[in-house]
């Protein structure tokens, strides 16, 4: 890697962190573990494995939060399998967030060869003819929260023997249950506990997590039970070399590449797999100048609040949103004309070097499209050097068919593949033995995820290499130049809120549809807040109260989507053959699969012939056009209510509910290579509404004048501050910039003054706006520092330009953004 540059000063490596190797600590097998099981493993457990297993065997709910490859599987297999061997009628339920992880765990259980356990997966890939066998005969069922919610709990009568004997519930990778998805899963587990109790069982919960900020509290909120945490990792670990890599600026005498086409994409559809949505967000319409429609606020602002925010001087300005992203490019251009190589190009080059050197490498990228692009670039470079060598590189992402995913996993584990470009679909604990290095293309949003991805490398305790390749983004740039923000700091706590009314109400309807809700059940679902929700559901007619409890009033089951993807995935079907290529979630379908869109699948380009949203089918045909497509949308935001606020004189800080409406209205075709716009074509797609939680600040025009921000400077100053604030919020909250959206305007219809909004990209909110409100001064101070410390003259992707901006990063005013933030910080108290 160092040899790629001629001098240390010219090196893209900004920091190298060396994590020392660590010896492991084994202990004797606990006396309660049967000899059969000890012999099946053939080695003694690590201390943390035995500690967690003994707590679970004694009936305590436990969460094991240790590093990647620390053997968490053995910790829950020990008590679970021991119980199955001791009690021939007992059963165990295993939950994982992905089907790949459940399949991997099934292989591990089968390798143990223990008679009578009959482990089996029960998920969307399980053929229907096998599901009845699993219900009747398997004693160790591996599934996921979606299947538990959609099939097992609604059909609990058929699962009665299994639930009656349920001894353990294993929740693997529980740190992944965060935000709205995590809040839904929390209630699915409460529904499981309620039905299990009705059948006479009270299972012990064993949770496995990556290292997190407060694993016991997060596990308790997830399960609704007191949970003991085991966090002292006693497993051996090989030395890790962790490099931070900033793609270089291209020489000033080298002509910049032609502008690469921008790929349209919306703020993350709620609950979507975080890495599977970033290549599919629509651009905000850059020509839209219509201000927001008048909106009636459902909660009145006090006079004192508004007095802090309003002045006689008002001005109208177009809304400036951040609801789009750019795709891979060869380089990005700073505002002062300099160009920096893209993170994708650097990652593809490093992956090429790794394969040539025989280094088995996994490259994590942040989108489905990027996974395809990095794999294609790497294959092309390798085939130019050694024909056929490119065949040892593949892409891996969600949306592939089951057989394609399994074939790629097997090829990687067997060594047929030397390298893989993957979304975070392989971040979780799939046993990828024998990897030497991990490339992480762009900060994944949290330190927990960063270390989880880095932990994929290391051969049986051998040394490993991890490289974080920074994107041209304020947060990435900040981190590669402030390594103390990554290393030596605890990872984030998991954020979830089971009391979220957008989650609680629908989940109570599901519970009532499964079995009548009794007053005693409400304590399980939150007590007073559950009672309020039940009363509201009863008034609306969704539930009916009877002496024996509350009953679901409709014929069908409640339609509740745990991951918030907007419904069933859209099937991508080849028109000529009827072959199913893959699937795309509903939240991304308007952008990825609109009529005329170019869709990438395993390196092949297809053009969409038609999209049927009612039938959830898109028909495509294979074609290699010389143009790319880029969807465009218009977005409006209205304030519904204010939960909390800070009156800081000329500055107001608010937390409340907002309504964000967006509609994909057209798409551009752009020439590949030059970025030339061929034409813009209209689309007729339905509008989508997101009711969520936002944090926003207002500042009076008089205060802006005092700070040196003239009326004509306000749009660019607020726009630049908004971009940087969104980029830096992941320092404070367990999110990344793709979980959140933003809007700025010189005069908002609801606040009647200059305003910057940052909102959660999840229905009902996910806790990120609340975290921003609670840490507002620290958050905005870091934002101000990131802008001021950037060496560019007028703003660049490293500070105020955004890859999500639908207005083409125009207008932006870097210097005036600093003035705005100085004025806000001077007025805000240290704590709201």
């Amino acid at each position: 890697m160092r040899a790629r540059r001629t001098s240390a000063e010219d090196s893209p490596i900004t920091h190298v962190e060396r994590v020392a190797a660590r010896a492991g600590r084994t202990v004797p097998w606990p006396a309660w573990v049967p000899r059969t099981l000890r012999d099946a493993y053939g080695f003694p457990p690590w201390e943390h494995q035995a500690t967690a297993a003994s707590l679970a065997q004694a009936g305590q709910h436990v969460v094991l939060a240790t590093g990647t490859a620390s053997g968490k599987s053995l910790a829950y297999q020990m008590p679970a399998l021991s119980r199955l061997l001791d009690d021939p009628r007992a059963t165990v339920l295993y939950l994982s967030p992905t089907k790949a992880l459940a399949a991997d765990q099934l292989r591990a259980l089968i390798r143990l060869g223990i008679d009578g356990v009959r482990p089996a997966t029960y998920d969307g890939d399980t053929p229907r003819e096998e599901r009845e066998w699993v219900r009747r005969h398997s004693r160790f069922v591996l599934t996921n929260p979606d299947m538990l919610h959609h099939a097992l709990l609604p059909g609990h009568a058929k699962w009665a023997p299994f639930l009656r004997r349920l001894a353990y519930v294993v929740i693997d990778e529980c740190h992944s249950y965060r935000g709205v998805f995590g809040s839904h899963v929390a209630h699915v587990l409460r529904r499981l506990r309620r039905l299990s109790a009705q059948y006479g069982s009270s299972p012990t919960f064993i949770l496995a997590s990556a290292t997190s900020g407060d694993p016991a509290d997060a596990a308790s909120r997830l399960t609704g039970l007191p949970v003991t945490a085991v966090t002292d990792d006693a497993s051996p670990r090989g030395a890790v070399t962790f490099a931070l890599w900033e793609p270089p600026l291209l020489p000033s005498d080298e002509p910049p590449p032609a502008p690469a086409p921008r790929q349209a994409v919306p703020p993350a559809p709620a609950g979507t797999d975080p890495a599977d949505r970033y290549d599919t967000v629509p651009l905000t319409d850059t020509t839209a100048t219509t201000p927001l429609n008048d909106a009636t606020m459902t909660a009145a602002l006090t006079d004192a609040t508004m007095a802090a925010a309003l002045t006689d001087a008002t001005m109208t300005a177009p809304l400036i949103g951040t609801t789009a992203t750019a795709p891979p490019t060869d380089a990005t251009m700073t505002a002062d004309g300099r160009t920096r190589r893209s993170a994708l190009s650097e990652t593809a080059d490093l992956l090429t070097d790794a394969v040539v050197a025989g280094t088995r490498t996994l490259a994590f990228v942040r989108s489905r499209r990027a996974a395809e692009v990095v794999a294609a670039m790497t294959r092309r470079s390798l085939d130019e050097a050694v024909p056929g060598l490119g065949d040892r590189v593949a892409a891996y992402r969600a949306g592939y068919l089951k057989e394609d995913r399994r074939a790629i996993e097997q090829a990687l584990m067997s060594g047929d593949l030397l390298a893989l470009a993957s979304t975070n679909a392989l971040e979780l604990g799939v046993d990828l033995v024998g990897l030497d290095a991990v490339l992480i293309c762009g900060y994944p949003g949290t330190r927990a995820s960063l270390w989880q991805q880095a932990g994929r490398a290391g051969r049986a305790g051998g040394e490993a290499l991890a490289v974080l390749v920074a994107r041209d983004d304020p947060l990435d740039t900040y981190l590669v130049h402030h390594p103390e923000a990554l290393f030596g700091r605890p990872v984030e706590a998991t954020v979830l809120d089971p009391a979220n009314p957008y989650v609680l109400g629908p989940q109570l309807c599901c519970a009532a549809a499964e079995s009548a809700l009794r007053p005693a059940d409400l304590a399980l679902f939150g007590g007073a807040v559950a009672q309020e929700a039940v009363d509201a559901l009863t008034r609306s007619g969704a539930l009916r109260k009877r002496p024996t409890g509350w009953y679901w009033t409709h014929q069908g089951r409640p339609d509740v989507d745990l991951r918030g993807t907007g419904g069933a995935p859209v099937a991508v079907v080849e028109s000529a053959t009827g072959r199913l290529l893959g699937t795309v979630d509903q939240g991304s379908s308007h952008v990825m699969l609109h009529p005329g869109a170019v869709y990438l699948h395993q390196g092949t380009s297809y053009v969409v012939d038609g999209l049927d949203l009612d039938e959830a089918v898109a028909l495509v045909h294979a074609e290699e056009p010389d143009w790319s497509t880029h969807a465009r949308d218009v977005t409006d935001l209205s304030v519904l209510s204010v939960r909390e606020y800070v009156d800081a004189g000329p500055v107001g800080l608010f937390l409340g509910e907002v309504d964000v409406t967006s509609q994909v209205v057209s798409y551009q075709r752009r020439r590949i290579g030059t970025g030339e716009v061929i034409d813009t074509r209209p689309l007729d797609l339905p509008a989508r509404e997101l009711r969520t939680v936002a944090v926003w600040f207002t500042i009076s025009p008089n205060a802006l004048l005092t700070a040196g921000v003239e009326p004509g400077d306000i749009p660019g100053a607020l726009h630049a501050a908004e971009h940087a604030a969104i980029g830096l919020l992941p320092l404070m909250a367990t999110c990344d910039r793709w979980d959140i959206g933003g809007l700025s305007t010189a005069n908002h219809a609801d606040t009647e003054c200059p305003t910057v909004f940052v909102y959660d990209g999840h229905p009902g909110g996910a806790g990120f706006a609340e975290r921003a409100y609670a840490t507002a001064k620290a958050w905005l101070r870091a934002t101000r520092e990131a802008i001021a410390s950037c060496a560019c003259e007028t703003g660049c992707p490293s500070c105020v330009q955004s890859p999500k901006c639908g207005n083409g990063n125009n207008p932006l005013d870097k210097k005036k953004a600093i003035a705005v933030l100085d004025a806000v910080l001077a007025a805000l108290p240290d704590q709201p």
Side-chain angles (χ1 to χ4, degrees):
M1 289 172 59
R2 292 192 182 280
R4 291 170 58 85
R5 295 295 177 269
T6 56
S7 66
E9 294 76 16
D10 194 33
S11 174
I13 300 173
T14 61
H15 178 79
V16 175
E17 187 79 8
R18 301 193 187 277
V19 181
R22 177 185 64 207
R25 304 190 307 273
T26 60
V27 294
W29 284 99
W32 48 266
V33 178
R35 171 61 61 184
T36 303
L37 193 55
R38 301 185 201 185
D39 293 342
Y41 286 111
F43 52 81
W46 307 116
E47 185 178 67
H48 65 276
Q49 294 171 327
T51 300
S54 295
L55 288 169
Q57 195 271 342
Q60 289 191 48
H61 309 292
V62 62
V63 57
L64 179 60
T66 52
T68 308
S70 59
K72 291 186 281 287
S73 297
L74 176 58
Y76 63 72
Q77 288 173 3
M78 226 189 294
L81 295 176
S82 295
R83 180 64 178 273
L84 296 183
L85 288 170
D86 291 340
D87 181 356
R89 297 173 61 82
T91 59
V92 172
L93 182 67
Y94 168 94
L95 299 175
S96 75
T98 66
K99 289 183 283 190
L101 180 54
D104 184 69
Q105 290 296 303
L106 177 64
R107 288 190 291 265
L109 290 168
I110 291 174
R111 280 197 299 268
L112 290 174
I114 300 175
D115 293 334
V117 173
R118 299 186 294 274
T121 54
Y122 186 83
D123 56 32
D125 290 341
T126 306
R128 293 200 172 272
E129 58 271 18
E130 292 182 17
R131 295 184 183 186
E132 181 66 22
W133 184 93
V134 174
R135 274 199 302 268
R136 290 179 176 274
H137 302 292
S138 177
R139 299 176 61 213
F140 199 126
V141 174
L142 302 98
T143 186
N144 51 62
D146 308 84
M147 204 68 175
L148 181 62
H149 163 67
H150 287 294
L152 197 151
L153 295 179
H156 61 87
K158 296 179 180 179
W159 287 87
F162 184 89
L163 293 173
R164 188 175 295 116
R165 304 162 186 164
L166 188 58
Y168 289 102
V169 176
V170 177
I171 305 174
D172 207 353
E173 305 291 353
C174 66
H175 61 281
S176 63
Y177 301 122
R178 63 182 180 91
V180 173
F181 177 45
S183 302
H184 272 297
V185 173
H187 286 294
V188 171
L189 296 177
R190 285 158 174 77
R191 286 160 49 200
L192 172 64
R193 289 174 52 205
R194 185 175 79 111
L195 292 175
S196 296
Q198 290 180 14
Y199 286 107
S201 67
S202 180
T204 299
F205 282 75
I206 310 173
L207 300 95
S209 170
T211 306
S212 66
D214 192 350
D217 179 68
S220 294
R221 279 184 284 119
L222 185 64
T223 61
L225 295 163
V227 179
T228 301
V230 176
T231 58
D232 184 14
D233 192 340
S235 64
R237 181 182 64 193
V240 179
T241 300
F242 205 130
L244 303 184
W245 182 288
E246 184 176 40
L249 289 167
L250 296 176
S252 56
D253 56 347
E254 184 173 325
R262 295 173 59 85
Q263 174 69 29
V265 208
T272 314
D273 185 356
D276 289 339
R277 57 197 184 215
Y278 309 139
D279 52 337
T280 55
V281 182
L283 294 170
T284 299
D285 189 354
T286 57
T287 62
T289 56
T290 306
L292 290 179
N293 297 326
D294 292 340
T296 303
M297 296 181 63
T298 57
L301 298 176
T302 66
D303 290 340
T305 306
M306 296 309 295
L310 297 179
T311 69
D312 291 335
T314 59
M315 60 181 292
T316 59
L319 293 174
I320 300 169
T322 55
T323 55
T325 189
T329 66
D330 288 334
T332 53
M333 184 174 291
T334 65
D336 45 359
R338 304 164 74 192
T339 55
R340 186 180 297 279
R341 290 200 82 219
S342 77
L344 286 179
S345 296
E346 289 287 278
T347 301
D349 282 357
L350 289 171
L351 197 59
T352 300
D353 291 348
V355 173
V356 170
T359 303
R360 298 186 63 189
T361 306
L362 178 62
F364 282 107
V365 292
R366 296 176 51 82
S367 71
R368 296 178 181 185
R369 178 182 173 85
E372 299 279 4
V373 169
V374 168
M377 293 170 69
T378 305
R379 283 195 295 262
R380 184 169 59 247
S381 297
L382 289 170
D383 284 335
E384 288 174 357
V386 181
L389 190 56
D391 293 340
R392 304 197 69 183
V393 179
Y396 185 98
R397 60 173 177 81
Y400 285 174
L401 301 181
K402 170 190 174 182
E403 52 269 27
D404 294 334
R405 295 196 309 271
R406 298 294 175 265
I408 294 171
E409 293 163 15
Q410 182 58 41
L412 182 65
M413 287 186 277
S414 68
D416 291 341
L417 286 176
L418 268 178
L420 211 59
S422 172
T423 61
N424 68 351
L426 286 179
E427 175 182 319
L428 302 180
V430 178
D431 185 16
L432 301 176
V433 294
L435 292 179
D436 300 301
V438 165
L439 306 175
I440 303 170
C441 183
Y443 181 59
T446 64
R447 288 184 295 277
S449 187
L450 180 76
W451 286 106
Q452 191 78 355
Q453 292 182 4
R456 294 292 90 199
R459 295 192 188 208
E463 291 201 12
L465 171 67
V467 183
L468 172 62
V469 181
R471 292 169 302 141
D472 228 351
D473 168 275
L475 180 57
D476 284 37
T477 303
Y478 180 91
L479 292 174
V480 295
H481 292 286
H482 295 80
E484 69 279 2
L486 288 177
F487 304 110
R489 292 187 62 184
V491 297
E492 306 85 353
T494 303
V495 177
L496 65 130
D497 179 17
N500 184 334
Y502 289 85
V503 172
L504 179 57
Q507 286 291 336
L508 287 169
C509 290
C510 291
E514 290 156 5
S515 176
L517 274 172
R518 301 184 302 267
D521 294 332
L522 298 185
L524 184 64
F525 293 96
V529 292
Q531 182 67 64
E532 292 175 10
V534 165
D535 292 342
L537 292 167
T538 304
R539 289 192 300 271
S540 70
L543 298 182
R544 180 179 295 117
K545 192 175 191 305
R546 290 289 183 263
T548 53
W550 290 272
Y551 289 78
W552 174 242
T553 59
H554 301 282
Q555 289 292 327
R557 293 187 57 249
D559 184 14
V560 178
D561 181 6
L562 299 189
R563 299 178 188 261
T565 53
V570 177
V572 183
V573 177
E574 192 170 28
S575 302
T577 64
R579 180 169 64 101
L580 177 65
L581 298 176
T583 60
V584 171
D585 62 86
Q586 283 274 349
S588 302
S589 61
H590 286 207
V591 176
M592 290 185 73
L593 299 174
H594 63 74
V598 175
Y599 173 77
L600 282 176
H601 182 79
Q602 292 189 344
T604 303
S605 291
Y606 296 85
V607 174
V608 179
D609 299 316
L611 171 63
D612 188 331
L613 292 172
D614 293 331
E615 297 296 327
V617 173
L619 297 178
V620 303
H621 69 271
E623 184 180 342
E624 296 283 347
D626 63 350
W627 39 263
S628 57
T629 55
H630 311 271
R632 300 164 64 84
D633 85 342
V634 290
T635 301
D636 283 348
L637 182 150
S638 57
V639 175
L640 300 178
S641 65
V642 173
R643 292 184 187 175
E644 300 179 50
Y645 66 90
V646 175
D647 179 355
V651 172
L653 177 69
F654 301 85
L655 177 71
E657 284 77 28
V658 298
D659 205 0
V660 183
T661 304
S662 63
Q663 183 178 17
V664 176
V665 295
S666 64
Y667 72 97
Q668 286 185 343
R669 295 192 307 159
R670 300 183 191 173
R671 193 79 62 192
I672 292 175
T674 67
E676 172 195 356
V677 176
I678 301 172
D679 57 21
T680 299
R681 301 188 175 189
L683 291 170
D684 183 19
L685 293 171
R688 287 182 165 170
E689 181 179 298
L690 173 67
R691 187 159 294 185
T692 186
V693 179
V695 59
W696 65 95
F697 67 80
T698 61
I699 182 167
S700 71
N702 284 343
L704 290 173
L705 278 173
T706 302
V709 183
E710 300 291 334
D713 300 328
I714 293 176
L718 296 182
H719 193 193
E722 173 217 337
H723 280 183
I726 289 174
L728 269 293
L729 181 55
L731 279 180
M732 308 296 163
T734 309
C735 67
D736 61 32
R737 73 182 303 153
W738 306 95
D739 286 316
I740 47 184
L743 200 74
S744 59
T745 178
N747 183 46
H748 190 270
D750 294 330
T751 66
E752 301 183 26
C753 58
T755 310
V756 171
F757 293 90
V758 176
Y759 59 85
D760 291 356
H762 300 259
F768 309 138
E770 285 94 334
R771 181 66 178 162
Y773 180 81
T775 62
K777 194 149 189 178
W779 167 42
L780 296 178
R781 186 181 294 115
T783 301
R784 193 259 180 214
E785 179 187 343
I787 299 174
S789 62
C790 186
C792 72
E793 289 293 323
T794 58
C796 69
S798 299
C799 58
V800 298
Q801 291 183 6
S802 170
K804 299 168 62 182
C805 184
N807 291 75
N809 284 295
N810 183 54
L812 289 176
D813 192 325
K814 174 183 175 178
K815 292 181 179 178
K816 298 300 183 183
I818 296 173
V820 168
L821 291 169
D822 282 339
V824 172
L825 288 167
L828 284 179
D830 288 337
Q831 292 185 355

